[in-house]
Amino acid sequence: MTLVERLRGRESTSAKHLVAPGPADEEIDAVLRAAVAVPEHGAIRPWRFLLVREDGQHRLSDVFVEDLLRERPDASAAEVDKRRAAPLRSPLLIVVAAEIREDHPKTPPVEQVVSAGLAAYVIQACFADMGYGAVWVTGPPAYSDHVKTALGLAPKDAIVGFIHVGTRGPDTPPGPKRRPDPADYMRTWPGD
Ligand SMILES: Cc1cc2nc3c(=O)[nH]c(=O)nc-3n(C[C@H](O)[C@H](O)[C@H](O)COP(=O)(O)O)c2cc1C
């Protein structure tokens, strides 16, 4: 199958369908080698990949709850439970971040975030291509200084995504998904 065909068939698997086992260390290494092959401007390599598993997921879960209660001390028990469960929904969670250089002469922060976003896409797409389920999520914790600091990042840095990875469970809906027609998003410029 060509790369075009594989990318056309790429799809996410909802975290609720992800089960153990997660990928082996060699598979993670292979995928991250593809991730660091994304385009980036200025050789500043802004991407950071944090592998979070088991105890790490439970610690991140505590951080997510702390973050919620700092923002909203009156959050309901259901909201706390949902936030606590969020990082635990897969055997492997990869936090993809951009460590931002704010004063780089050639590469503004937006380009650093874009490059980290490409890396997140490659990670999601490669694990899916290997037969795992994977999904890219964000939500309020991605934009929280408390979460960033707990992860060893600075408030200026960007968490571009939490990539959940695991085996596709038995209830995973079969693909492929319907995709839009690119013609709806395209025009020839400047036109006739
Ligand atoms: C930056 C970014 C953040 C996202 N955050 C979430 C999220 O928090 N929750 C969610 O269900 N999907 C989120 N998504 C969408 C999923 O990753 C996924 O693309 C979507 O479910 C559609 O599935 P597909 O990738 O198979 O088309 C996000 C996507 C991007 C690019």
Side-chain angles (χ1 to χ4, degrees):
M1 206 187 287
T2 66
L3 180 61
V4 171
E5 289 166 336
R6 289 148 82 113
L7 292 181
R8 284 181 65 170
R10 180 215 65 84
E11 58 188 29
S12 303
T13 302
S14 170
K16 67 184 176 213
H17 297 303
L18 297 177
V19 299
D25 287 349
E26 311 81 73
E27 293 173 308
I28 297 170
D29 180 69
V31 167
L32 293 183
R33 286 178 189 281
V36 298
V38 297
E40 61 110 1
H41 189 187
I44 57 176
R45 300 174 179 167
W47 345 278
R48 299 293 177 268
F49 310 110
L50 308 176
L51 305 186
V52 186
R53 284 178 280 204
E54 299 176 347
D55 286 353
Q57 283 170 293
H58 286 281
R59 285 182 60 180
L60 188 57
S61 177
D62 291 341
V63 171
F64 276 23
V65 171
E66 285 163 17
D67 179 54
L68 174 64
L69 293 176
R70 284 161 64 112
E71 291 295 315
R72 304 215 356 261
D74 60 341
S76 69
E79 288 172 311
V80 170
D81 287 349
K82 187 173 177 198
R83 187 67 73 91
R84 187 181 300 288
L88 307 175
R89 295 176 293 163
S90 56
L92 170 65
L93 183 64
I94 303 180
V95 185
V96 181
E99 193 173 299
I100 299 295
R101 283 185 52 184
E102 292 174 300
D103 55 356
H104 192 273
K106 282 199 297 194
T107 311
V110 64
E111 294 187 7
Q112 300 170 45
V113 173
V114 167
S115 185
L118 295 174
Y121 173 73
V122 165
I123 290 168
Q124 195 280 329
C126 285
F127 280 122
D129 190 55
M130 287 172 156
Y132 288 100
V135 64
W136 174 350
V137 301
T138 49
Y143 307 105
S144 153
D145 289 351
H146 180 68
V147 173
K148 290 180 195 177
T149 304
L151 289 170
L153 300 165
K156 69 173 173 52
D157 298 331
I159 294 174
V160 302
F162 301 99
I163 313 290
H164 286 277
V165 189
T167 295
R168 289 158 58 90
D171 298 331
T172 306
K177 290 180 180 164
R178 288 191 61 198
R179 295 299 182 186
D181 185 340
D184 293 340
Y185 305 93
M186 182 206 73
R187 65 192 169 98
T188 301
W189 186 89
D192 298 329

